[in-house]
Amino acid sequence: KERQTAIEASSQEGMVLSLDEIAVKKGHQYETVLMDARAGSVMGMHADRQCDSAINLLSQNILSKEMVQTVILDMWEPYHKAVRALFPSASIVIDKYHVVQKVTQALDQARKEFSPWKKARYLLLKGCEKLRKDQRLRLDDILEEYPALSIAYYLKELFRDFYRTDGYNEAKERLEEWIKLAKQSPFASFQEAANTLERWKEPILSYFLCPYTNARIEGTNHKIKNIKRRAYGYRNLERFRLRVFLECTGNTTGSQAA
């Protein structure tokens, strides 16, 4: 009853939903998790991460489709297809951490082409402003010795600046500029990342109109994994979902759930 009241209150303001998957068993067995991003509450779970499953999950747990304003997703196409089918007027926002991860992975692939610097992974992937003075000096030496690697590092740092942009129009210009530079780079990993970002450009830029992320659902997914570990796994997934419901609705305290 408390959960239903919270969902109704959230619906009156316009709902912001998060949709993500969590691995429940080995062999690519997933559960899709639906969350109220504002309330921080799990609204439901459904087997696998295909389009039909996402449609069933969303249809069963959303009181009013017209009240859904924003849906936060990663770049998994079946989720986008389901959201577009059910909520054609909602704004889709791709979680910025998944986008940055694509660029960081591209740099990591480029780094592996320079065998002497396999141990420099931390220095290259870490944000420049978070490095100590001695670490920055060592990084400068590496980039000076390998100019091609400095191109990859520059592209990564330039993309991090993209998410610090104020305003949609400036962000659009910066993203288009980055895609152009990445396509011209000598690294296949950055060219592939540029093609991916170009494909998802509009929902990526939607972040600057609706600045939401999947940070809360990622934290909840970590809690769900701990629930599974604590029980040494669940053979009955309905009981697993019930346990998640008890502990992750945002309206049930730990003592009540226990």
Side-chain angles (χ1 to χ4, degrees), residues 1-11 61 63 245 251:
K1 186 177 178 180
E2 290 176 358
R3 175 175 178 269
Q4 190 75 4
T5 301
I7 292 173
E8 289 174 356
S10 179
S11 298
N61 291 276
L63 298 177
F245 168 78
N251 299 302

Side-chain angles (χ1 to χ4, degrees), residues 79-91:
Y79 287 164
H80 286 259
K81 186 177 178 181
V83 170
R84 287 193 296 266
L86 290 177
F87 315 121
S89 61
S91 175

Side-chain angles (χ1 to χ4, degrees), residues 80-141:
H80 286 259
K81 186 177 178 181
V83 170
R84 287 193 296 266
L86 290 177
F87 315 121
S89 61
S91 175
I92 296 178
V93 179
I94 290 184
D95 178 46
K96 74 173 186 179
Y97 298 106
H98 283 86
V99 182
V100 172
Q101 184 184 49
K102 286 284 183 186
V103 177
T104 304
Q105 289 172 346
L107 173 59
D108 200 28
Q109 288 296 318
R111 173 190 63 85
K112 293 176 182 178
E113 298 180 19
F114 301 86
S115 55
W117 298 113
K118 287 183 179 178
K119 295 183 179 180
R121 183 175 186 271
Y122 175 85
L123 298 177
L124 291 165
L125 302 186
K126 194 75 172 176
C128 180
E129 72 282 357
K130 297 179 182 178
L131 296 176
R132 300 190 309 269
K133 185 177 180 179
D134 61 311
Q135 291 174 328
R136 290 185 185 180
L137 291 174
R138 187 182 172 212
L139 178 61
D140 289 342
D141 291 340

Side-chain angles (χ1 to χ4, degrees), residues 29 61 69 123 133 170 172 174 186 188 212 225 256:
Q29 295 190 41
N61 291 276
Q69 292 183 342
L123 298 177
K133 185 177 180 179
E170 184 180 351
K172 183 178 180 181
R174 287 198 174 195
Y212 291 98
K225 289 178 182 177
Q256 288 173 323

Side-chain angles (χ1 to χ4, degrees), residues 150-167:
S150 69
I151 295 173
Y153 181 77
Y154 168 76
L155 285 170
K156 186 265 290 188
E157 288 295 318
L158 185 64
F159 191 81
R160 292 180 70 238
D161 289 338
F162 158 70
Y163 272 111
R164 301 187 184 106
T165 306
D166 292 327

